[in-house]
Amino acid sequence: MQNWDGWQTLLAVARAGQLGSAAAALGIDATTAGRRIRRLEAGIGRPLLARRGGLLVPTRACLDLMPGLDAAERALRGVGEAASGVSGAAEAPGWQRIRITAVPVLCDHLLAPAVPRLVADRPRLGVDLIPEERNLSLTRREADLALRLGPLSAVPREAREIGRLAYATYAATGAEPPDVLPWACLDGALGHLPEVRATERAAGRAGPRHRAGRLESLRRLVLAGGVRGLLPRIMAEADPRLVRLEGGLTLDRPIHLLSHPEDAGVPVIRAAAAWIEATVAAAPGPVPSREE
């Protein structure tokens, strides 16, 4: 029978998709991680990981094992948390990790600056922030908690709306006159996004002068001058080089928090979810819409 180290390594590699990054997270080298995986595969007589598109992905045999491994990991996590409260209990090496995924703007400008508040009284907690445009799978345990921007095409049962991401119109400080500047917005390939549709309507027949594939690139276009853009307030409000145009175009998008229902009783996940909700609540809110 394999020990837990092997199964823990399999979980880490299946989630990370790369041997090296999974090994680093576990505090071992890639050679050791690979040896553990090969030992597991030899023990059950079937491959557990397959290489696809430069990533290691779970095989069908591995996916069949994942629910049981997830349950075992949660049980061990609960035991570890209970033991940490026992006087004189030995402290386990390494960090207790929680994985949170969100679109980059939420990771960079909302969650990352607030991490010290989450870990202030949790000296063994480590946070993995995973900025991803795609929706990482909670079922496959690629993340413990997920923040997604709406509107969602299909709202999962485990999704809760916890706030709104507010957008407003910004231009470079000193732009003259800002209210007649042409527009910049995200690339047309992202035309399904509410902020892109709203900007294209505001730009009229001429359309946006500049486009960008990422929000950070759009912010830099606006900073460079000569255009205005619709940006999240959490990204633009604190930058003195940008000025919010009073009466300009605004909108807001719902923020949904997703978690595993079976993790509702895990203290660290419950605490992280409460921290996320408080962080969202403290973010700059919607501003009055422009009066036509």
Side-chain angles (χ1 to χ4, degrees):
M1 182 177 180
Q2 301 292 337
N3 63 26
W4 176 244
D5 287 343
W7 298 118
Q8 184 183 40
T9 302
L10 176 63
L11 279 172
V13 177
R15 290 164 178 164
Q18 295 179 335
L19 202 63
S21 56
L26 294 173
I28 60 177
D29 57 55
T31 301
T32 300
R35 185 168 58 248
R36 289 178 180 178
I37 298 297
R38 290 192 297 273
R39 189 179 299 135
L40 288 176
E41 292 177 327
I44 67 172
R46 287 180 292 176
L48 295 171
L49 298 168
R51 189 165 294 280
R52 189 176 305 154
L55 295 175
L56 289 170
V57 298
T59 63
R60 182 71 260 171
C62 182
L63 291 174
D64 289 342
L65 293 170
M66 292 292 277
L69 294 176
D70 285 338
E73 183 183 52
R74 288 194 301 274
L76 288 172
R77 183 187 295 171
V79 169
E81 289 188 358
S84 67
V86 177
S87 177
E91 192 173 81
W95 301 100
Q96 178 189 21
R97 310 211 69 81
I98 184 166
R99 299 175 303 280
I100 303 170
T101 180
V103 293
V105 67
L106 295 181
C107 275
D108 296 345
H109 298 278
L110 184 73
L111 298 180
V115 164
R117 292 201 299 273
L118 174 63
V119 303
D121 58 350
R122 298 176 178 87
R124 302 308 306 164
L125 182 61
V127 179
D128 292 348
L129 290 182
I130 310 169
E132 275 283 358
E133 298 291 357
R134 70 185 180 98
N135 289 334
L136 294 186
S137 171
L138 292 178
T139 303
R140 284 176 49 189
R141 290 285 170 169
E142 292 179 298
D144 298 305
L145 294 167
L147 280 180
R148 295 177 184 165
L149 288 178
L152 301 177
S153 55
V155 181
R157 286 186 304 172
E158 64 271 21
R160 292 188 295 114
E161 183 177 328
I162 60 170
R164 314 285 293 187
L165 179 64
Y167 290 72
T169 302
Y170 293 86
T173 300
E176 294 288 346
D179 57 341
V180 297
L181 288 172
W183 287 89
C185 77
L186 292 174
D187 189 85
L190 302 171
H192 60 285
L193 298 179
E195 58 268 36
V196 178
R197 294 200 303 268
T199 303
E200 289 178 337
R201 286 195 300 269
R205 293 180 60 185
R209 182 174 187 177
H210 303 318
R211 291 186 181 269
R214 300 184 306 127
L215 263 176
E216 177 57 26
S217 300
L218 177 60
R219 184 184 71 89
R220 290 180 179 274
L221 280 174
V222 175
L223 269 175
V227 291
R228 51 182 159 164
L230 190 60
L231 297 170
R233 293 189 67 196
I234 59 172
M235 169 184 271
E237 200 75 10
D239 191 334
R241 299 170 298 172
L242 292 172
V243 59
R244 175 159 51 91
L245 305 186
E246 296 297 331
L249 181 65
T250 64
L251 62 80
D252 55 87
R253 295 178 61 184
I255 301 174
H256 297 274
L257 176 63
L258 289 80
S259 60
H260 302 274
E262 62 270 27
D263 283 347
V266 178
V268 68
I269 292 182
R270 190 167 62 242
W275 163 76
I276 289 173
E277 292 193 54
T279 302
V280 169
V287 295
S289 298
R290 178 179 60 185
E291 295 183 3
E292 300 294 344

